[in-house]
Amino acid sequence: MTHILSPLHKLGLIIIAFSFVLLFPFSVSIFLDDGAAEHFLMSGGLSFVLGSVLALFFWPFKAASRKREGVLLVFLAWVSLAVISSLPIYLTGIAIQEDFSFAKAVFEGVSGLTTTGASVINEVEALPTSVNIWRHSLLWFGGMGILLLAVAILPLFNVGGRELMQSEMPGPLKDERLTPRIASTAKMLYSIYFTASVFCLIAYKIAGLSWFDAWCQAASTMALGGFSSFNQSFQSIDNVAVEAVAVVFMLFAGINFATHFKVLKYKSLRYYFYCPEALPFLKLVLGSGLLISAYLYFSDIYDSWFEALRYGIFNTVSVATTTGFASTDYLAWPFVIPVFLLVLGSFASSGGSTGGGIKLIRVLLVFRQFRVEMLRLLHPRGIFPVRFRQMVVSNSVLLSVMMFIAMYFMTVMAVFILLAFGGAEEVDALSAAVALVGNIGPALGSVGPMSNYAGLNDFQLWVGSAAMLVGRLELLTVFVIFTPHFWRS
């Protein structure tokens, strides 16, 4: 039973720490006198009490974390923090809107913490300033959690984690970890994330946003989230300079942060070229943006190259990186484009980035495996290992990646069936399943870029919340907990 009970002590400590985070929006609310202070105080107090009870009651069971304990702790922490983070949203929601259900609040909280950016709030501009800041802060903290997840937990599952992170190292450096300890590695990644966030904030301010809007957009951009302080996202901003800032930092956040670290550590841009994902990611996303821009121009959607390029590049980068900003209603474009964007967002982000989806490195591995299988058909006696740079990828890693992708599509289909069973239209249900499991945010139909998920019923919202959480924890971290072997001593 120790492997079941020992994580609860650490969970209590995490909840206590998170309760102090709520002091930030509480202080903002007190300063601005926007009427939401008591909501944050109640939520923070409740979470502090809950965390203290868990930490003290399960103190005798504390032990060093092993694989199972770590996985269970991650799952429980994300679920608990998502629910706690939704409490001030719920209290504010019912004060403004009588039919604001707890399912909506949890959906909004999970969406923020998983950096999905799918919202159920129709009038975000009418929210108290502190609540809006809290929504975007959830995205930012969620981005930090994702980086730690990529370093400490996902490599345990051998689905393209540490082995492929090492493959970014050239030559004799390939067996060197980023830093000797996970804790120092996380601190290093956080410092890059924090510094880039500050630069993004300042850039948005220089581009013309207020400090409040600049912080909200910067938090969403660096976390590749998609929440906005404006009802119509970037369409309400309508500023080319602001859009340019967003594109630059979305691309930065869509690259593996381990690669950014190596560039800074060794003071050489060549590590972007050594990385198996960085250049393919930039070529794929920017190339797709240029292709869509040309399509828009030659289809007479826009009269000038500049307009076609402006809207084509921005919205392509936004969806491909799973951010979910929108500077126009791209559902009004030819239907093939939004479908293409949704597919692109399902796999284009790099591993070790704050983006969601399958991750580009897994797709690149599948294509290399496909090429090897074609060669084996032509040369049955030949030996053709799958290589990434100078590294031979083991069959166990390839099998794990194949299994992950198969499970990913099965999960999308299961979510689609549940949403359709709950009453959603076919296009809405399927596109929402893709967007939620991939942590993209906007989908098609009634849950498109200029609308939101407020029209879903409570059952569909609970399904959507679970889909976002499963997608963010990359499936296995959740599914393994529901297997009998996990609970055996």
Side-chain angles (χ1 to χ4, degrees):
M1 288 292 290
T2 304
H3 72 282
I4 300 174
L5 300 178
S6 63
L8 297 179
H9 167 69
K10 296 183 179 65
L11 176 64
L13 297 177
I14 291 172
I15 292 174
I16 291 173
F18 193 73
S19 69
F20 286 101
V21 174
L22 284 157
L23 291 176
F24 169 56
F26 170 75
S27 302
V28 172
S29 183
I30 288 291
F31 179 75
L32 297 176
D33 192 23
D34 61 6
E38 61 178 334
H39 302 155
F40 292 107
L41 186 62
M42 291 173 60
S43 303
L46 181 62
S47 59
F48 181 82
V49 171
L50 174 62
S52 300
V53 169
L54 289 173
L56 292 174
F57 187 80
F58 293 100
W59 177 275
F61 301 98
K62 67 174 185 174
S65 292
R66 294 173 296 175
K67 187 172 183 177
R68 282 193 295 185
E69 287 87 335
V71 171
L72 183 59
L73 177 60
V74 166
F75 174 73
L76 293 176
W78 280 75
V79 172
S80 301
L81 298 187
V83 173
I84 291 170
S85 65
S86 68
L87 292 179
I89 298 173
Y90 174 66
L91 294 173
T92 302
I94 59 176
I96 298 175
Q97 180 181 335
E98 290 184 1
D99 62 342
F100 193 83
S101 65
F102 188 62
K104 288 186 176 181
V106 171
F107 184 93
E108 194 81 9
V110 172
S111 180
L113 208 60
T114 59
T115 73
T116 305
S119 182
V120 292
I121 300 175
N122 292 319
E123 293 291 332
V124 296
E125 296 177 27
L127 290 174
T129 301
S130 59
V131 176
N132 241 331
I133 287 178
W134 176 239
R135 292 171 64 246
H136 292 84
S137 298
L138 283 176
L139 288 175
W140 194 79
F141 283 114
M144 294 179 69
I146 291 163
L147 296 182
L148 180 59
L149 195 69
V151 171
I153 300 298
L154 296 181
L156 297 175
F157 290 96
N158 196 34
V159 286
R162 179 172 293 129
E163 294 84 356
L164 299 182
M165 186 180 289
Q166 289 173 349
S167 73
E168 299 174 16
M169 297 285 193
L173 296 175
K174 68 180 180 180
D175 294 323
E176 176 188 332
R177 294 188 186 182
L178 296 177
T179 54
R181 297 173 59 84
I182 286 177
S184 55
T185 302
K187 290 177 183 177
M188 169 273 300
L189 295 179
Y190 289 164
S191 65
I192 297 173
Y193 182 70
F194 177 82
T195 304
S197 299
V198 172
F199 280 116
C200 186
L201 169 67
I202 295 171
Y204 273 131
K205 175 60 178 174
I206 294 173
L209 295 181
S210 66
W211 282 115
F212 164 68
D213 291 324
W215 160 247
C216 291
Q217 267 50 239
S220 285
T221 302
M222 287 307 303
L224 299 179
F227 281 164
S228 177
S229 54
F230 299 94
N231 291 331
Q232 299 299 318
S233 190
F234 271 59
Q235 187 178 50
S236 298
I237 300 174
D238 193 23
N239 183 315
V240 176
V242 171
E243 293 167 14
V245 170
V247 167
V248 169
F249 283 95
M250 284 189 291
L251 290 173
F252 178 89
I255 295 174
N256 194 329
F257 274 72
T259 304
H260 295 315
F261 164 72
K262 282 171 275 186
V263 169
L264 294 173
K265 179 179 179 180
Y266 300 107
K267 296 180 175 60
S268 174
L269 294 175
R270 71 177 184 272
Y271 288 93
Y272 286 123
F273 294 91
Y274 290 143
C275 175
E277 290 179 286
L279 288 185
F281 163 75
L282 293 174
K283 290 177 182 177
L284 174 66
V285 175
L286 293 177
S288 298
L290 290 173
L291 180 65
I292 288 174
S293 299
Y295 190 101
L296 293 173
Y297 177 73
F298 289 110
S299 298
D300 295 324
I301 306 297
Y302 295 104
D303 296 330
S304 68
W305 263 109
F306 176 76
E307 279 191 313
L309 197 64
R310 172 188 175 185
Y311 292 108
I313 291 291
F314 178 86
N315 291 284
T316 300
V317 171
S318 176
V319 179
T321 58
T322 73
T323 308
F325 290 142
S327 61
T328 188
D329 185 5
Y330 52 76
L331 293 187
W333 296 349
F335 187 67
V336 65
I337 297 181
V339 172
F340 174 74
L341 290 177
L342 199 59
V343 172
L344 190 64
S346 298
F347 70 88
S349 293
S350 302
S353 72
T354 53
I358 294 172
K359 300 296 191 303
L360 182 58
I361 196 164
R362 294 190 179 105
V363 176
L364 292 175
L365 272 177
V366 169
F367 275 107
R368 279 165 171 73
Q369 176 68 13
F370 178 78
R371 176 178 175 274
V372 165
E373 293 301 324
M374 293 299 101
L375 289 173
R376 286 173 180 165
L377 286 176
L378 297 173
H379 308 282
R381 297 183 180 180
I383 299 176
F384 306 101
V386 177
R387 294 181 180 273
F388 240 52
R389 301 299 183 183
Q390 302 302 316
M391 176 185 175
V392 175
V393 182
S394 68
N395 288 333
S396 63
V397 172
L398 290 171
L399 182 62
S400 297
V401 169
M402 298 289 188
M403 178 203 62
F404 176 87
I405 294 176
M407 288 181 63
Y408 187 92
F409 284 112
M410 286 191 289
T411 302
V412 169
M413 291 308 299
V415 174
F416 160 62
I417 292 170
L418 288 172
L419 291 176
F421 178 78
E425 297 290 334
E426 288 82 355
V427 172
D428 295 356
L430 181 57
S431 63
V434 173
L436 294 175
V437 175
N439 303 121
I440 299 170
L444 308 177
S446 64
V447 287
M450 290 297 119
S451 53
N452 57 32
Y453 289 77
L456 300 186
N457 58 43
D458 283 359
F459 171 78
Q460 294 166 333
L461 291 174
W462 287 117
V463 170
S465 298
M468 289 186 285
L469 194 62
V470 168
R472 175 47 68 197
L473 297 183
E474 304 224 358
L475 312 183
L476 294 176
T477 314
V478 177
F479 292 155
V480 72
I481 293 174
F482 296 96
T483 61
H485 292 285
F486 182 87
W487 300 100
R488 292 175 184 167
S489 301

